[in-house]
């Protein structure tokens, strides 16, 4: 078991990483139950695969579970489901001192965290992430959100959980494609500022994807330590440090928008292709050695992740993709900050990227791949 502390003064909390933690949830969660019960928000897939484990271990600790089961999928991060969830929580008489448990992937974590942040002006919540993406990224750091007609994650809050409980064995029931998409966020930490970890990914990434428990635990802990340090330093993304976590996201967001934020391209898959594009664009600008950009592309390709426009199933040309970027919520005063790299583990924020140049790069990159 590892415990990583997110140091945020009064909002500090622990991330407990323990294989099999769901079967020992009583010891981790019982002290957070009021009147012998805990409300657990989850989705139908997770309810079928993992909720019974949580219920059994809490029952053994004399804690009853009140489940709220929502439909799976990104469309659940909506006004409609937020309203329904808040009504359900109010009907269960949740008070400000209560802890609501989010059992699921980033969708359930983001929605439940947002609901907790506004219910009675804020009740406590606990993240029990069950996708690799949520275990290494979205459950940590307190970004909560729902989607708006105008775009993804446009309505939300910074609201830290009281505890994050990570059981990597929950990944046993996660479809491989989802695990792979989450793995892109693991690779991201190596690319941002940890070249040794990227080298570890090159050596051990396939093992992780095959479900090797040691590889999984190692990658989760290392990722979570990296994210916890960044969040402690820049909780609200004001100094620029937390923005490094958006590596690959500006390109990725445009690819996701072009594919309709659908199952054609999962978020982590968009991030993977986005990171490969960010490195190749950095190489084209003469910032990053070409062989390092090639290493990034080669690793993502080797594990079966999208690494260019074609493998991301994107049809649009550079100008159309850049048009999507103009709606990015990071756009400020007419410029879009871009994450570029001087090499593996040397990511930095650039504010002087010309979007017309990005469009030309995307067209040239597609042509080079097709040649
Ligand atoms: P998700 O929550 O939709 O989960 C993916 C799929 O896996 C769903 O069908 C879900 O039902 C299923 N699932 C989850 N756990 C399972 C398990 N153990 N066994 C079987 N099936 C399981 O997707 P995600 O990739 O976890 O999260 C994506 C969301 O996270 C997006 O909305 C994105 O915006 C958000 N996100 C938030 C942050 C943040 O910092 N808050 C960071 C990155 C992404
Ligand atoms: N996933 C980006 C962040 O938490 O800031």
């Amino acid at each position: 078991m590892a415990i990583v502390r997110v140091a945020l003064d009064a909002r500090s909390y622990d991330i407990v990483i323990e294989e099999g933690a769901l079967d020992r949830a009583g010891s981790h969660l019982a002290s957070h139950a009021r009147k012998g019960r805990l409300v657990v928000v989850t989705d139908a897939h997770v309810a079928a695969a993992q909720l019974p484990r949580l219920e059994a271990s809490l029952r053994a600790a004399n804690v009853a579970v009140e489940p709220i089961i929502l439909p799976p999928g990104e469309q659940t991060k909506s006004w409609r489901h937020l309203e329904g969830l808040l009504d359900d929580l109010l009907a269960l008489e949740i008070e400000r001192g209560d802890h609501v448990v989010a059992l699921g992937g980033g969708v359930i974590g983001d929605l439940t965290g947002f609901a907790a942040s506004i219910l009675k002006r804020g009740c406590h919540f606990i993240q029990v992430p069950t996708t690799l993406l949520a275990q290494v990224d979205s459950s940590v750091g307190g970004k909560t959100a729902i989607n708006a007609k105008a775009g993804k994650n446009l309505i939300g809050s910074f609201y830290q959980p009281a505890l994050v409980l990570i059981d990597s064995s929950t990944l046993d029931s996660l479809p491989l494609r989802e695990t792979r998409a989450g793995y892109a966020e693991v690779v991201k930490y190596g690319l941002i500022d940890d070249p040794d970890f990227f080298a570890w990914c090159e050596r051990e990434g396939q093992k992780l994807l095959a479900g090797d428990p040691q590889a999984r635990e190692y990658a989760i802990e290392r990722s979570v330590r990296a994210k916890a340090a960044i969040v402690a330093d820049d909780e609200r993304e004001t100094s620029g440090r937390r923005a490094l976590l958006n590596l690959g996201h500006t390109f990725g967001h445009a690819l996701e928008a072009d594919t309709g934020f659908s199952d054609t391209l999962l978020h982590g898959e968009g991030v993977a292709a986005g990171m490969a594009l960010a490195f190749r664009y950095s190489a084209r600008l003469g910032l990053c050695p070409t062989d390092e950009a090639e290493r990034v592309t080669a690793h993502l390709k080797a594990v079966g992740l999208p690494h260019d426009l074609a493998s991301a199933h994107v049809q649009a040309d550079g100008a159309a993709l850049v048009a999507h970027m103009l709606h990015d919520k990071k756009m400020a005063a007419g410029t879009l900050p871009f994450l570029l790299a001087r090499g593996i583990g040397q990511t930095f924020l650039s504010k002087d990227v010309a979007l017309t140049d990005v469009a030309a790069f995307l067209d040239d990159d597609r042509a080079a791949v097709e040649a």
Side-chain angles (χ1 to χ4, degrees):
M1 179 171 89
I3 299 179
V4 178
R5 185 91 177 146
V6 184
L8 287 169
D9 300 323
R11 296 177 311 290
S12 298
Y13 55 98
D14 285 340
I15 304 163
V16 177
I17 307 162
E18 182 189 31
E19 192 177 9
L22 232 54
D23 304 315
R24 292 181 285 280
S27 62
H28 297 293
L29 301 182
S31 62
H32 298 283
R34 189 176 61 97
K35 291 190 190 159
R37 68 153 200 188
L38 271 174
V39 174
V40 176
V41 183
T42 191
D43 73 27
H45 291 155
V46 183
Q50 300 295 339
L51 182 61
R53 290 176 65 196
L54 186 62
E55 280 175 328
S57 57
L58 285 174
R59 205 181 308 119
N62 295 318
V63 177
V65 167
E66 295 272 12
I68 297 177
I69 302 176
L70 300 172
E74 189 64 36
Q75 65 283 357
T76 297
K77 274 174 59 173
S78 64
W79 279 118
R80 186 165 74 83
H81 287 291
L82 176 69
E83 185 183 8
L85 175 56
L86 289 168
D87 283 340
D88 288 350
L89 293 171
L90 290 169
L92 288 165
E93 298 178 355
I94 291 293
E95 295 178 1
R96 294 173 86 179
D98 285 343
H99 290 77
V100 175
V101 177
L103 174 73
V107 164
I108 289 298
D110 280 16
L111 173 73
T112 307
F114 187 41
S117 75
I118 56 177
L119 188 88
K120 298 189 175 173
R121 301 207 173 88
C123 66
H124 303 297
F125 86 114
I126 294 172
Q127 291 269 20
V128 185
T130 62
T131 62
L132 184 58
L133 181 138
Q135 293 182 351
V136 301
D137 188 359
S138 66
S139 67
V140 176
K143 278 189 181 175
T144 80
I146 58 168
N147 302 324
K149 278 198 195 97
K152 265 191 73 174
N153 293 328
L154 292 184
I155 300 157
S157 58
F158 284 99
Y159 194 68
Q160 302 295 340
L163 171 73
V164 182
L165 183 61
I166 301 178
D167 176 354
S168 62
S169 76
T170 58
L171 303 179
D172 288 340
S173 59
L174 189 69
L176 176 60
R177 184 176 173 203
E178 294 286 354
T179 306
R180 208 184 264 132
Y183 177 71
E185 304 278 7
V186 172
V187 173
K188 184 182 78 177
Y189 294 107
L191 296 179
I192 290 174
D193 62 1
D194 190 350
D196 290 344
F197 187 41
F198 181 74
W200 180 91
C201 289
E202 289 178 305
R203 287 193 311 275
E204 309 287 337
Q206 297 281 14
K207 261 197 218 167
L208 182 160
L209 292 172
D212 179 272
Q214 275 86 35
R216 259 184 344 202
E217 289 271 307
Y218 180 83
I220 292 168
E221 184 181 340
R222 193 140 171 181
S223 301
V224 156
R225 284 194 188 282
K227 180 145 186 189
I230 289 176
V231 168
D233 194 44
D234 182 19
E235 182 184 11
R236 289 181 166 246
E237 209 166 308
T238 45
S239 77
R241 177 122 190 256
R242 186 163 182 168
L244 296 176
L245 294 171
N246 296 327
L247 174 63
H249 284 59
T250 300
F251 282 113
H253 184 86
L255 309 187
E256 282 186 87
D258 183 61
T259 46
F261 294 102
S262 65
D263 283 355
T264 305
L265 189 69
L266 302 178
H267 173 72
E269 293 172 338
V271 169
M275 293 190 300
L277 288 165
F279 268 78
R280 291 203 293 278
Y281 185 51
S282 301
R284 170 172 158 131
L285 293 175
L287 295 166
C288 170
T290 307
D291 60 337
E292 300 225 351
E294 282 169 0
R295 249 179 88 192
V296 175
T297 302
H299 180 57
L300 296 170
K301 191 174 176 181
V303 296
L305 278 165
H307 45 278
D308 54 28
L309 298 182
S311 55
H313 308 290
V314 169
Q315 312 292 339
D317 65 7
L321 291 170
V322 162
H324 286 305
M325 290 177 192
L326 296 175
H327 300 294
D328 197 301
K329 65 179 174 307
K330 295 182 282 300
M331 193 86 189
T335 60
L336 183 58
F338 251 81
L339 273 305
L340 300 177
R342 295 194 178 85
I344 289 167
Q346 297 176 63
T347 294
F348 69 99
L349 190 67
S350 167
K351 292 193 175 157
D352 53 11
V353 167
L355 289 177
T356 46
D357 190 44
V358 173
F361 157 71
L362 287 166
D363 290 334
D364 292 349
D365 193 74
R366 185 194 290 279
V369 168
E370 284 168 5

